Amino acid sequence: MLRGHQPAIEALLAANASGAIHHAWLLAGPQGVGKGTFARAAALRLLAEGMTPGSLPSGTLEVPASHQAAALFAAGSHPDYRELQRLPKKDPAKTADGASEELARSITVDQVRSLGPFLGVKPSLSPRRVIVIDAADELERPGASNALLKSLEEPPSGTIFLLISHAPGRLLPTIRSRCRVLRFNPLSDADMAGVLGDAMPDADGEEIATLVRFGEGAPGKALGYAGLEIGEIDAALEAIARDGDRSATRRAALARQLSPKAAQPRYEAFLDRVPSVIARAAGMRTGEDLRVVLDAYDESRQVAAAARGLSLDPQGTVHELAGIVARLAPTDDRRRG
């Protein structure tokens, strides 16, 4: 079930009902708030509407499971649907199936060009076909972006593009200009709890409430934290921010916990949480204290981004980031000020 984002649902349904739906939509908003879920639900709805106009429930993107389009979509075999995502990297060290969970850096130009045969023939089951790109921010530049632009400039009849974007400013202005924008905001706590409850039916109320808090309106982020005891990470960081860490014992303890290979998911969560914990502290500071927090926030984001992009040593990264958090502890000079 798709929860929240009612304005986006209503806008798409109204455009569809008008009989002149735009050929390209940019789904813009923070990562993890449900844009991908919306895009796939919208794609199925548009395809089903194309097959059986006027037969579906109004006011919702839901399509009955008994509908032929729903069955084909669920099986991944709808002939009028395509989706582009980053592909998994091949890892020779893996012997079970030869594939690594790590994804390629970009959606490649070859992936975009592979849409050519799909776009070169008429849709199979109705006058419509739908292409989802998740996420358009990850299109290889300039090749993949330019290849997509050509299709957006001269789309075959009945083709609808749904482009997911976490940072629309990264896209080519010419791509943005050809899309109608649907904006997505963080979910309310009630909608967050509903999404998490649907996804984790065995979770108790306390776990759901904890994930709602740390998810900050983004169910995708919250689900990524499930089972990682994220509250312990935040508590350790908040203690360092409050009391400092002159002896570096707290930093060393965190580094020991988070640097082993088995702790990789918690380490990734730590990289997310450090800027968030620092940002939360900003709301309680003024003057020189606030400047210290803002500087620490900027630096922590840079270090966390470099840690991901350059695969920096986890132990050293944890120690460095926790050291940035330690600067938030009041000093004698700042107390006197």
Side-chain angles (χ1 to χ4, degrees):
M1 176 188 295
L2 180 65
R3 296 180 184 269
H5 309 309
Q6 195 59 34
I9 293 172
E10 292 172 357
L12 188 74
L13 290 175
N16 181 59
S18 73
I21 188 169
H22 195 69
H23 74 281
W25 296 74
L26 183 63
L27 281 51
Q31 190 163 4
V33 298
K35 301 186 299 298
T37 300
F38 177 96
R40 293 168 187 91
L44 173 55
R45 176 74 184 212
L46 293 170
L47 292 168
E49 284 275 6
M51 294 173 65
T52 56
S55 68
L56 300 176
S58 61
T60 176
L61 295 181
E62 301 296 325
V63 175
S66 58
H67 197 287
Q68 182 186 6
L72 290 169
F73 205 85
S77 58
H78 198 296
D80 299 325
Y81 177 73
R82 294 290 186 275
E83 184 172 325
L84 296 186
Q85 294 182 308
R86 290 182 296 154
L87 297 174
K89 286 183 177 179
K90 297 298 181 181
D91 184 353
K94 300 278 185 177
T95 57
D97 57 5
S100 167
E101 292 183 359
E102 186 179 1
L103 298 177
R105 293 174 62 89
S106 305
I107 297 172
T108 67
V109 63
D110 288 339
Q111 287 177 265
V112 178
R113 287 174 179 165
S114 73
L115 295 173
F118 176 66
L119 296 172
V121 297
K122 291 183 178 180
S124 300
L125 301 181
S126 78
R128 280 187 176 161
R129 73 186 125 213
V130 180
I131 297 169
V132 168
I133 300 181
D134 185 7
D137 313 332
E138 295 161 351
L139 287 164
E140 185 179 57
R141 297 182 68 170
S145 295
N146 288 334
L148 175 64
L149 181 59
K150 291 179 181 178
S151 295
L152 294 178
E153 289 173 335
E154 299 177 2
S157 177
T159 302
I160 300 171
F161 289 87
L162 301 174
L163 277 61
I164 297 166
S165 177
H166 317 309
R170 297 179 187 170
L171 301 179
L172 292 178
T174 44
I175 288 179
R176 295 199 305 269
S177 69
R178 283 160 176 79
C179 298
R180 178 173 170 181
V181 178
L182 288 179
R183 300 200 180 277
F184 291 76
N185 297 314
L187 294 185
S188 68
D189 285 355
D191 282 331
M192 280 282 290
V195 173
L196 296 175
D198 291 343
M200 304 170 59
D202 296 330
D204 60 30
E206 183 178 353
E207 183 176 5
I208 294 294
T210 299
L211 292 176
V212 167
R213 176 190 171 200
F214 290 122
E216 300 173 328
K221 177 191 287 189
L223 289 169
Y225 290 157
L228 299 183
E229 299 177 329
I230 199 70
E232 291 184 4
I233 292 176
D234 267 43
L237 290 170
E238 287 167 354
I240 292 173
R242 181 185 64 246
D243 303 327
D245 188 25
R246 283 177 177 265
S247 65
T249 54
R250 287 173 168 169
R251 279 171 278 180
L254 269 175
R256 284 194 300 272
Q257 293 172 24
L258 300 176
S259 58
K261 190 171 184 179
Q264 181 70 19
R266 295 194 79 213
Y267 169 67
E268 293 285 345
F270 171 84
L271 297 180
D272 284 339
R273 295 309 304 160
V274 171
S276 295
V277 168
I278 294 174
R280 199 158 60 230
M284 300 176 283
R285 307 292 180 99
T286 60
E288 177 63 13
D289 278 350
L290 178 59
R291 186 194 66 76
V292 170
V293 172
L294 295 178
D295 287 348
Y297 176 76
D298 288 341
E299 187 174 352
S300 70
R301 292 188 65 190
Q302 292 171 15
V303 172
R308 290 191 173 93
L310 302 175
S311 300
L312 300 180
D313 170 57
Q315 186 165 2
T317 300
V318 171
H319 203 278
E320 181 176 2
L321 283 168
I324 294 172
V325 173
R327 296 179 202 162
L328 274 58
T331 64
D332 290 341
D333 288 343
R334 296 213 303 274
R335 286 191 184 98
R336 285 194 296 269

